[in-house]
Amino acid sequence: MIASTGRPTEADYLRSLGAREIIERRELVSAAKPLGQERWAGGIDTVGSTTLANVLSMTRYGGAVAACGLAGGMDLPATVAPFILRGVSLIGVDSVMCPLEPRREAWRRLASDLDAGKLAAMTSEIDLSGVIEVGRRIVEGGVRGRIVVKIG
């Protein structure tokens, strides 16, 4: 597994989650070539825009990429080359309109397949009063993992 980050200091943490290789975010943010060198069998993209275009262009023949985020933008500055010449599939991940049964299956799989210890280690809880401060830290890139906001 290859992980991408804008914070190279997080490399050891990403390796502890299973990454064998770490690449810097800047490798994926420039304009994508129609077809890049085949680098991975598939991917999960949480960024969108040029990052997603680069991931698609570097996906191997017959690979698939799941897109589940738009942090970098809603545009997709790519060509159809990966889809036509390599048979790459782009799969959108929908968490809003997904029917109940696939949701239940996803939650069942998360409960059985996910390392609960790693999840607990990357999750912290704050009160509603701490949201503004944590929001500032998130925007500055100073937060790792997930923050749960306890209301009430």
Side-chain angles (χ1 to χ4, degrees):
M1 176 173 62
I2 301 172
S4 172
T5 182
R7 295 185 286 172
T9 57
E10 296 294 326
D12 289 338
Y13 171 70
L14 294 170
R15 283 188 186 91
S16 78
L17 295 176
R20 291 189 200 143
E21 182 182 344
I22 310 299
I23 61 173
E24 291 202 29
R25 180 184 304 150
R26 68 173 175 250
E27 290 187 44
L28 300 172
V29 296
S30 60
K33 297 177 182 176
L35 285 176
Q37 181 178 358
E38 291 179 303
R39 193 161 185 184
W40 31 72
I44 301 171
D45 177 75
T46 62
V47 181
S49 192
T50 55
T51 298
L52 177 55
N54 275 292
V55 171
L56 289 165
S57 78
M58 292 185 252
T59 299
R60 292 181 189 150
Y61 182 86
V65 177
C68 59
L70 303 168
M74 292 182 65
D75 62 321
L76 183 56
T79 69
V80 297
F83 308 111
I84 294 173
L85 299 176
R86 290 192 182 150
V88 172
S89 296
L90 174 59
I91 304 163
V93 177
D94 166 43
S95 62
V96 177
M97 301 302 289
C98 184
L100 186 57
E101 282 310 309
R103 284 177 189 260
R104 285 186 176 143
E105 175 64 12
W107 284 108
R108 186 192 68 71
R109 290 287 308 272
L110 286 170
S112 65
D113 298 358
L114 194 62
D115 183 328
K118 287 183 179 179
L119 180 60
M122 69 173 68
T123 305
S124 59
E125 186 176 287
I126 63 169
D127 291 321
L128 189 56
S129 63
V131 167
I132 300 297
E133 171 58 26
V134 170
R136 182 188 59 73
R137 287 185 20 233
I138 289 171
V139 170
E140 293 173 353
V143 171
R144 173 195 333 168
R146 298 292 174 244
I147 309 283
V148 176
V149 180
K150 183 178 176 182
I151 300 176

